[in-house]
């Protein structure tokens, strides 16, 4: 963290070029007191915040550096190491994480938080210098920064647990950059939930959103997600229902009837062009012309992929003949030359063996969309005793995919537990490769049950190491280790148990 914060002090707060979230380029090489004096500076500052988050999730344009899939699915039953695996994905796939694993580094979260902190501190003063900037513009920008800070901390506590809290701009080298870890409970109650609540109060309501930006619906979805993680399902339902009131990119309220879900025939628009759907809530923009290759570990890249679709789901999912999502999500078609890869974010009509052509595709990773919200809402309804309503929301997603509806007499509805399993399974298929699966099975307390048999199979197939038994009795390993460079830079940090 020290290195990141020192870099910010060195007048490089907005380091990377504009990532097409906004039309303004991020500010660079300018002393902080020289900007935040106009509306243009607001747009530039927001571009810097979004570009930091985008680079962290999608990558740097080279290699397989984006962390979206490593954090959200790399340790799950969706993906396995490939025959070309590197040490990072090998450790994720068989639960042998070390403090040297690249995915164990939280620096880029704190870089994004630092940019958001500076914006939050300086934005209220912009109108002193530029009276043409409206209060609504200030409030919208502030809301996005509060929400961005919150989502970064939400990732941090889910991945590492306790962590340092910094909510003030770091603008002086006299401020000690070394901070101890605070409890995850404190981060939830003093940062994440307050930040998102403030963000929701500030964000303009009933507006047609830009899908690349954090909007009213995205903030409500985050709060619903946060409360579900905390198993506070009453509050989760409250906030998820507010998503229904918010508008989608077509200017129509999302609603709770399923009418604004993208139709089955054009379902892939959610990934190829989310801005033309009404189901999209917040996606991460990536354009080849400006950003280079979105070389995701799960799909096309400049070299052989370190990750493959797990063989078990690859075979089992294809057996569900009625499910129209299978061929649209994973490569099951002969002749494409990319068997076991994810085609969800690509146009398979032109997806071929020429890597230079494939790399030129734009990629729009999904943060939240309405189907995700419906299924999370179904989970909350089920957990609060409203099984019939939960089934209704679950069926909105199943029937769109071509699957038969579940009824109250179906085996899946036999109990709260069986219905919870059905919802979890549906989230796996519908949200495959959308960075949700690991967090879902952790939230459902299913890590040991689901992953230990998978890890045992992988270990026997790859390493012939009978001593590697998955999680076993050490559930502390659900958390990632803290990267060793962070421990070296900040002597106040203490490593997570099991990784010392």
């Amino acid at each position: 963290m020290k290195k990141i914060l020192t870099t910010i002090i060195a007048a490089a707060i907005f380091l990377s070029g504009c990532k097409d979230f906004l039309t303004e380029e991020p500010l660079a090489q300018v002393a902080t007191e020289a900007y935040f004096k106009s509306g243009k500076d607001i747009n530039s500052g927001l571009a810097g915040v979004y570009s930091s988050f985008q680079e962290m999730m999608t990558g740097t344009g080279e290699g397989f550096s984006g962390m979206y899939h490593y954090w959200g699915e790399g340790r799950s039953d969706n993906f396995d190491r490939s025959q070309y695996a590197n040490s990072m994905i090998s450790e994720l796939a068989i639960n042998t994480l070390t403090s040297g694993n690249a995915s164990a580094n939280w620096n880029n979260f704190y870089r994004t938080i630092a940019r958001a902190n500076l914006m939050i501190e300086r934005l209220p003063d912009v109108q002193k210098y530029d009276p043409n900037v409206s209060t609504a513009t200030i409030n919208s920008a502030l809301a996005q920064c509060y929400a961005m800070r919150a989502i970064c901390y939400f990732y941090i506590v889910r991945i590492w647990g306790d962590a340092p809290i910094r909510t003030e701009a770091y603008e002086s080298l006299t401020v000690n950059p070394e901070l101890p870890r605070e409890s995850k409970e404190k981060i939830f109650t003093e940062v994440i939930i307050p930040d998102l609540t403030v963000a929701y109060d500030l964000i303009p309501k009933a507006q047609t959103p830009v899908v690349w930006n954090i909007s009213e619906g995205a903030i409500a979805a985050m709060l619903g997600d946060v409360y579900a993680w905390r198993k506070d399902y009453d509050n989760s339902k409250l906030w998820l229902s507010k998503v229904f009131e918010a508008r989608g990119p077509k200017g129509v309220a999302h609603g709770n009837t399923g009418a604004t879900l993208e139709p089955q025939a054009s379902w892939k628009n959610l990934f190829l062009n989310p801005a033309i759907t009404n189901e999209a809530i917040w996606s991460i923009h990536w354009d080849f012309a400006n950003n280079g290759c979105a070389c995701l570990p799960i799909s096309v890249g400049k070299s052989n992929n370190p990750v493959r679709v797990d063989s078990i789901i690859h075979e089992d999912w294809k057996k569900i003949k009625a499910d129209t999502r299978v061929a649209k999500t994973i490569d099951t078609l002969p002749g494409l030359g990319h068997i076991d890869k994810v085609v969800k974010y690509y146009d398979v009509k032109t997806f071929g063996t020429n890597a230079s052509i494939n790399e030129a595709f734009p990629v729009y990773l999904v943060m939240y969309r309405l189907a995700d919200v419906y299924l999370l809402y179904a989970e909350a309804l089920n957990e609060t005793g409203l099984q019939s309503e939960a089934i209704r929301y679950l069926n909105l997603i199943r029937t769109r995919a071509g699957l038969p509806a579940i009824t109250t007499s179906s085996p899946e509805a036999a109990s709260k537990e069986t219905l919870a399993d059905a919802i979890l399974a549906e989230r796996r298929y519908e949200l495959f490769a959308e960075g949700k699966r690991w967090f879902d099975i952790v939230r459902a307390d299913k890590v040991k049950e689901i992953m230990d048999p998978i890890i045992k199979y992988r270990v026997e197939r790859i390493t012939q190491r009978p001593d590697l038994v998955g999680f076993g009795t050490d559930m502390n390993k659900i958390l990632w280790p803290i990267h060793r460079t962070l421990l070296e830079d900040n002597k106040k940090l203490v490593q997570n148990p099991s990784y010392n």
Side-chain angles (χ1 to χ4, degrees):
M1 182 159 58
K2 182 191 296 183
K3 292 178 180 177
I4 291 294
L5 295 173
T6 302
T7 301
I8 292 168
I9 298 302
I13 297 169
F14 305 112
L15 298 176
S16 51
C18 181
K19 306 297 185 181
D20 278 8
F21 292 104
L22 303 166
T23 57
E24 300 292 339
E25 294 185 359
L27 297 163
Q29 305 302 322
V30 183
T32 57
E33 62 269 13
Y35 52 81
F36 295 120
K37 294 186 176 181
S38 69
K40 181 179 179 180
D41 292 344
I42 295 174
N43 286 341
S44 298
L46 277 176
V49 172
Y50 279 109
S51 68
S52 178
F53 189 80
Q54 176 204 48
E55 180 180 299
M56 171 173 58
M57 291 298 181
T58 311
T60 59
E62 296 182 1
F64 303 107
S65 56
M67 290 291 139
Y68 178 91
H69 291 101
Y70 292 125
W71 286 325
E73 295 179 272
R75 300 182 72 184
S76 78
D77 51 346
N78 279 356
F79 294 101
D80 190 5
R81 53 169 282 171
S82 76
Q83 60 180 312
Y84 308 107
N86 55 38
S87 60
M88 178 168 72
I89 189 59
S90 294
E91 291 181 3
L92 292 169
I94 58 175
N95 193 39
T96 56
L97 277 169
T98 67
S99 62
N101 194 292
S103 69
N105 197 323
W106 63 34
N107 259 352
N108 289 337
F109 280 116
Y110 281 99
R111 177 189 64 195
T112 308
I113 289 167
R115 296 183 185 188
N117 286 344
L118 187 62
M119 290 282 285
I120 290 168
E121 181 175 301
R122 294 298 188 90
L123 283 176
D125 293 331
V126 172
Q127 286 177 311
K128 296 178 183 178
Y129 303 99
D130 187 351
N132 293 319
V133 174
S134 68
T135 299
T137 297
I138 298 289
N139 287 346
S140 177
L142 278 171
Q144 292 173 71
C145 291
Y146 276 112
M148 184 64 81
R149 184 168 74 183
I151 196 69
C152 286
Y153 276 115
F154 188 34
Y155 268 98
I156 288 169
V157 296
R158 289 182 295 174
I159 297 169
W160 292 279
D162 301 345
I165 294 176
R166 187 175 293 281
T167 56
E168 296 180 356
Y170 188 84
E171 299 184 81
S172 171
L173 289 174
T174 62
V175 178
N176 187 358
E178 295 187 7
L179 293 173
R181 299 175 73 182
E182 303 283 0
S183 73
K184 60 185 179 182
E185 180 65 18
K186 182 175 181 179
I187 297 172
F188 273 116
T189 59
E190 296 187 15
V191 181
I192 296 173
I193 293 173
D195 273 3
L196 288 173
T197 304
V198 169
Y200 189 80
D201 289 342
L202 289 171
I203 200 73
K205 307 299 189 296
Q207 303 293 303
T208 299
V210 175
V211 73
W212 319 119
N213 293 352
I214 295 172
S215 62
E216 174 190 357
I219 296 167
M222 289 181 211
L223 275 160
D225 200 1
V226 166
Y227 279 115
W229 182 266
R230 292 171 61 77
K231 301 188 187 302
D232 181 348
Y233 288 106
D234 286 325
N235 269 315
S236 182
K237 286 190 301 184
L238 172 67
W239 284 103
L240 292 172
S241 67
K242 291 182 183 293
V243 179
F244 307 152
E245 303 168 7
R247 296 182 184 180
K250 288 185 175 181
V252 179
H254 290 297
N256 65 352
T257 66
T260 59
L261 290 171
E262 189 67 13
Q264 180 190 106
S266 55
W267 179 77
K268 280 197 68 168
N269 281 340
L270 289 161
F271 319 104
L272 301 178
N273 193 358
I276 67 171
T277 76
N278 208 72
E279 181 178 332
I281 296 175
W282 177 28
S283 295
I284 303 173
H285 192 281
W286 188 276
D287 179 77
F288 178 79
N290 291 314
N291 310 119
C293 171
C295 297
L296 306 177
I298 63 165
S299 194
V300 298
K302 295 181 178 180
S303 59
N304 294 313
N305 297 72
V307 173
R308 58 161 286 169
V309 176
D310 184 84
S311 60
I312 296 175
I313 189 174
H314 191 268
E315 291 305 310
D316 289 350
W317 200 3
K318 288 188 294 184
K319 296 174 184 175
I320 308 175
K321 300 297 185 182
D323 195 332
T324 62
R325 297 168 297 195
V326 183
K328 296 175 183 178
T329 302
I330 57 176
D331 190 350
T332 63
L333 304 177
L336 283 180
H338 293 282
I339 301 301
D340 289 351
K341 296 195 176 184
V342 172
V343 298
K344 193 172 198 174
Y345 295 98
Y346 300 90
D347 182 354
V348 294
K349 295 176 183 177
T350 56
F351 188 76
T353 58
N354 188 328
S356 63
I357 295 175
N358 295 334
E359 289 171 1
F361 282 112
V363 171
Y364 309 126
L365 297 177
V366 178
M367 292 301 296
Y368 289 99
R369 60 184 177 96
L370 190 58
D372 177 7
V373 170
Y374 278 176
L375 290 171
L376 198 58
Y377 195 62
E379 179 183 320
L381 289 166
N382 183 48
E383 292 293 336
T384 53
L386 300 172
Q387 276 70 45
S388 60
E389 270 295 279
I391 291 170
R392 183 176 78 82
Y393 282 93
L394 172 59
N395 282 336
L396 291 175
I397 309 306
R398 285 181 59 86
T399 55
R400 177 178 65 172
L403 299 174
I406 290 173
T407 69
T408 54
S409 59
S410 298
E412 295 90 340
S415 67
K416 186 175 83 170
E417 290 71 28
T418 57
L419 185 55
D421 286 344
I423 295 167
L424 185 65
E426 195 60 36
R427 284 183 63 83
R428 185 186 188 191
Y429 294 129
E430 176 68 24
L431 307 176
F432 192 91
E434 294 180 43
K436 302 286 184 177
R437 179 62 174 173
W438 173 254
F439 300 127
D440 281 352
I441 63 177
V442 174
R443 185 181 67 249
D445 299 318
K446 295 282 187 178
V447 172
K448 180 177 174 61
E449 175 185 329
I450 290 173
M451 292 310 303
D452 274 14
I454 295 286
I455 292 171
K456 183 176 185 294
Y457 169 76
R458 291 174 182 173
V459 167
E460 291 174 348
R461 178 172 57 87
I462 297 170
T463 68
Q464 290 77 51
R465 289 267 310 272
D467 57 309
L468 300 177
V469 293
F471 287 85
T473 60
D474 189 1
M475 299 312 291
N476 288 320
K477 284 194 173 182
I478 286 177
L479 296 175
W480 262 251
I482 298 173
H483 199 275
R484 59 174 177 248
T485 59
L486 302 175
L487 297 169
E488 292 166 0
D489 290 343
N490 183 354
K491 302 303 181 184
K492 294 184 178 181
L493 295 180
V494 177
Q495 182 61 278
N496 275 328
S498 303
Y499 299 109
N500 287 318

